Amino acid sequence: MRTKLHERTLILCKPDTVQRGIVGEIITRFEKKGLKIIAMKMVLPTRKLAQSHYDMPESDKIAMGEKSISAYEEHGEKINKTPIQIAEDIQKRLETYLTAGPVVAMVIEGAHAVAHVRKIRGGTNPLTADIGSITADLAIDSYFLSDPDERAVRNLVHASGSVVEAEREIKLWFSEDEIIDYELAIEKILYDKDWEDTRKKITREE
Ligand code: ADP
Ligand code: MG
């Protein structure tokens, strides 16, 4: 059952998730929310795939750089680089991170899937992510640990940042025939407009 508010989004359990043996924990969090996995596979990413995945428009580079600058400012420090310079440094490090070992890639579908998945994944920097999210609960890294070592912050999971980003990324990681259109039993409870009426039939008489 798909409502007009349904979206699809791409999730990558990055190499540190696989190595730490917590892929199941990650999947469980999305399943428990009521989101549906419509594609899933293990991939050993090539450098080319990692490059294409992180090949972002200039506006996204600026956003990525600015996010780092404000994290440092909140920490009482200043970075002497432009947002673009920061993003380009990070981009190279990300390719190394993503190609460090197998990743588990998934396409997830559900109402408002992009926003829900981003919330469950949590903020980029585990140090300041909201408690209850994957990055806050399961990752101990921070920009302040990763940047001096010239590596990407190990935050376990990638989740598309918008519907447009998701569309591009899903095409990159999955072919059409790897995505399965099926119905979950729980969808009736989550989305069916008549679900309460079916319940009334088994309610005890007054
Ligand atoms: P998100 O994963 O939250 O969408 P971005 O798209 O801004 O974040 O960045 C992509 C990835 O780059 C992050 O998940 C993280 O692994 C890494 N990253 C971002 N900013 C930094 C930084 N300042 N230092 C190290 N790694 C970073
Ligand atoms: Mg992003």
Side-chain angles (χ1 to χ4, degrees):
M1 179 175 289
R2 293 187 100 243
T3 73
K4 60 178 188 297
L5 298 174
H6 265 58
E7 296 166 354
R8 289 178 172 185
T9 188
L10 180 86
I11 297 191
L12 301 176
C13 295
K14 296 180 186 181
D16 47 341
T17 299
V18 174
Q19 293 301 321
R20 288 181 50 196
I22 54 173
V23 174
E25 160 87 33
I26 304 297
I27 293 174
T28 296
R29 288 178 177 224
F30 296 120
E31 284 183 321
K32 280 185 178 166
K33 180 74 176 173
L35 291 159
K36 176 165 65 176
I37 302 166
I38 57 168
M40 180 159 65
K41 64 181 173 186
M42 183 172 264
V43 183
L44 196 56
T46 59
R47 198 96 196 168
K48 191 166 164 259
L49 178 59
Q51 259 166 15
S52 314
H53 178 77
Y54 286 116
D55 179 19
M56 56 188 85
E58 190 131 314
S59 56
D60 287 2
K61 284 189 191 173
I62 293 171
M64 186 195 230
E66 283 175 345
K67 202 160 54 174
S68 301
I69 291 171
S70 40
Y72 276 89
E73 276 170 1
E74 279 162 28
H75 210 243
E77 291 175 47
K78 205 173 169 346
I79 317 184
N80 289 320
K81 283 198 259 179
T82 65
I84 295 272
Q85 283 170 329
I86 295 170
E88 282 171 0
D89 285 348
I90 296 169
Q91 246 174 334
K92 289 192 205 96
R93 298 170 193 172
L94 276 170
E95 288 160 26
T96 306
Y97 178 24
L98 206 62
T99 56
V103 308
V104 173
M106 282 176 269
V107 181
I108 281 194
E109 187 182 89
H112 309 288
V114 170
H116 283 308
V117 165
R118 288 290 291 192
K119 259 196 194 166
I120 294 168
R121 199 296 295 260
T124 315
N125 185 359
L127 184 64
T128 49
D130 289 335
I131 199 74
S133 65
I134 289 168
T135 37
D137 292 357
L138 305 172
I140 202 161
D141 210 0
S142 73
Y143 296 159
F144 316 116
L145 277 171
S146 66
D147 290 353
D149 290 347
E150 299 186 357
R151 59 171 180 81
V153 72
R154 293 177 189 140
N155 56 5
L156 300 168
V157 171
H158 165 82
S160 311
S162 67
V163 173
V164 174
E165 200 176 289
E167 271 170 20
R168 187 188 77 84
E169 293 176 350
I170 291 168
K171 279 201 199 106
L172 207 57
W173 290 83
F174 289 92
S175 60
E176 264 308 315
D177 61 3
E178 288 174 316
I179 301 173
I180 302 172
D181 191 12
Y182 68 103
E183 191 139 321
L184 279 177
I186 61 160
E187 283 178 67
K188 197 167 179 57
I189 305 168
L190 301 180
Y191 305 118
D192 190 341
K193 78 174 176 56
D194 295 326
W195 179 73
E196 289 83 352
D197 295 341
T198 14
R199 296 294 302 160
K200 277 186 198 124
K201 283 183 203 142
I202 58 159
T203 304
R204 193 174 288 158
E205 293 296 322
E206 295 274 317

